[in-house]
Amino acid sequence: MPSVNPFPSRVDATSPAFTANLSAWSSLTETLRARLGGALAGGGAALVERHRQRGKIPVRDRIDLLLDTGSPFLELSPLAAYGLYSGDVAAAGIVTGIGLVENVPCMIIANDATVKGGSFFAETVRKHLRSQEIAEEHRLPCLYLVDCGGAFLPEQDRVFPDRDHFGGTFYNQCRMSAAGIPQISVVFGGATAGGAYIPALSDEVVMVRGTGRIHLGGPPIVKAAINEVVDGETLGGADMHTTVSGVSDHAAADERAAIAKLREIVSAFGDLRRITPPPFAPAPPRHDPAELAGIVPTDLKQPYDVREVIARLVDDSAFHEFKPDYGATLVCVFARIHGHPVAILANNGVLFSESALKGAHFIELADQRHIPLVFLQNITGFMVGTEAERGGIAKHSAKLVYAVSNARVPKYTILIGGSYGAGNYGMCGRGFRPRFLFSWPNARIATMSPEIAAGVVTDLRRQSISRGKADEADIAAIDARTRAQFEEQSDPYYATARLWDDGIIEPAQTRDVLGLCLALAAGEERDSNPRPVYRM
């Protein structure tokens, strides 16, 4: 950044602490990569091979063929449903992400038929809905690569009836289409029952001959309902729907031809928004992002200076720090990431009243200047105790929450450590609608840490005993159960399986992931109505 000197890092890469951190992070990274590898395998080698023998291309290979050569693909929630359903629903049976097609940024939503026939589980629906939410917010065309068996019937009560269930995906399609956001489908395999509405509600549809099927009720349902015996091709094949029903607009000889047709359709979109170049020339950090694994301890109780993290994320490792001598446990800086201006809020300890006031002031400055906000969360919460309460911590923390809630600029959140209690709210947790939220493999998210939770629960248990002496064995058992529950439920894989984030990323990937996210919002029209900056 002009007129801003690079941050003078004090990291000693030869120190025992740095080496120990690297070793601990190596284990976390190996675990993440192994689990991602399991998700990439879909339904397993045997089912993928059977898929190929049917003349079908695996889902991620379809996406590779669709995207512009050499362009990045930001995959979302690859570990959705991890550890659920006995581990049989890899990536929740659907691959979603953002990539360039004919130089147009698009949201790709692709069923994986090797995973339970592409059926929808509760997490599949959530992942589909989340992708549409991102697409609508950024006005990204949605490209549906359909190979879908509809709702997984044993899970129908978690998939079908509620507002944010399967029907919500169709509602979103209709609303986006009406808003001028293209909805295009290619049908590679089944599009059955509810799955039939994905192409039926699309603006334009391509079907693959021989394998593509669209029918509200498949042959077994037709036979059961009206005693009609019919084969799948006659009932809902590509030629029938392209020449008779008009549900499909194009029939393709094979999957590669269908993908080529989809690229052709996207190329004809006309004057849709392309990626807007950053306003400033990007510059790599002067301090290596790979050093993040040596700087940040995996033990959340160990402190570090978050400025060292920021220096490895921002252009030229340069930033302008706001109020550096006030509310020091919240670091607020203006910087650039891949040429995009950003306003970063990062935790350097528990949030006091001064930290909250500083953060609220900083957010309002960024909002007035139309600068996106980036939150780096490693927070135990707001300060507690008599002094803090008498000093108005509830009032001042509410000001930070209010500022976060009403900021008009795009917000992005990375969990780089703990995300506990109201600190999650003040630092723009999922409930505060960041455009994207990613986690590091060391992240933890819960109302409080396992140690504090166990202390609270056991103290309450002791207080509830009105007579006699507390049974210490019972207290110990409660302590152990509480710790185990909070350890399990605050684990980052527990969180990402349930789509509490948009994916787990390695620390060294953070700068580039943020760069891709910022690029999607670049060039958007901003609310230019003036707002005063309150000093709170």
Side-chain angles (χ1 to χ4, degrees), residues 124-352:
T124 319
V125 173
R126 288 198 65 185
K127 189 170 174 178
H128 192 121
L129 288 168
R130 174 63 182 144
S131 301
Q132 290 178 315
E133 177 185 16
I134 293 169
E136 184 171 18
E137 195 161 30
H138 295 88
R139 295 192 63 81
L140 301 175
C142 290
L143 309 182
Y144 301 93
L145 309 188
V146 185
D147 207 340
C148 169
F152 186 68
L153 294 181
E155 291 280 311
Q156 70 87 27
D157 64 323
R158 301 178 64 231
V159 173
F160 173 71
D162 206 355
R163 168 182 167 173
D164 293 326
H165 285 175
F166 206 2
T169 67
F170 310 137
Y171 175 83
N172 289 342
Q173 268 189 265
C174 296
R175 301 281 293 182
M176 282 193 281
S177 178
I181 303 171
Q183 308 290 299
I184 313 296
S185 285
V186 176
V187 181
F188 294 94
T192 303
Y197 283 110
I198 299 173
L201 290 170
S202 294
D203 304 332
E204 204 163 348
V205 179
V206 182
M207 291 186 71
V208 178
R209 284 195 178 98
T211 57
R213 300 276 193 279
I214 299 175
H215 31 57
L216 292 181
I221 293 177
V222 171
K223 186 175 187 302
I226 63 172
N227 202 31
E228 177 186 348
V229 178
V230 62
D231 65 89
E233 187 67 22
T234 302
L235 182 64
D239 286 323
M240 189 284 288
H241 277 308
T242 306
T243 63
V244 178
S245 75
V247 171
S248 172
D249 305 294
H250 311 277
D254 56 30
E255 294 200 4
R256 289 178 179 271
I259 292 168
K261 179 59 68 175
L262 178 55
R263 287 183 55 84
E264 181 184 316
I265 291 168
V266 174
S267 72
F269 278 169
D271 192 27
L272 282 178
R273 182 175 62 85
R274 263 60 171 175
I275 291 289
T276 300
F280 301 98
R286 296 201 184 194
H287 305 305
D288 189 355
E291 292 178 339
L292 289 169
I295 294 167
V296 180
T298 58
D299 180 357
L300 300 185
K301 296 177 183 177
Q302 297 299 315
Y304 59 90
D305 186 356
V306 78
R307 294 173 185 84
E308 297 284 3
V309 174
I310 295 171
R312 287 154 180 83
L313 301 181
V314 302
D315 290 5
D316 200 36
S317 298
F319 50 82
H320 163 63
E321 186 168 356
F322 175 72
K323 281 184 178 290
D325 301 318
Y326 181 82
T329 58
L330 182 64
V331 174
C332 300
V333 308
F334 291 106
R336 297 172 188 163
I337 294 178
H338 282 286
H340 298 282
V342 291
I344 300 174
L345 296 91
N347 300 120
N348 233 10
V350 66
L351 289 171
F352 293 87

Side-chain angles (χ1 to χ4, degrees), residues 464-483:
S464 71
I465 299 173
S466 57
R467 292 195 187 94
K469 187 177 179 180
D471 184 338
E472 290 305 318
D474 180 48
I475 295 294
I478 293 172
D479 181 280
R481 285 199 303 271
T482 303
R483 288 175 185 270

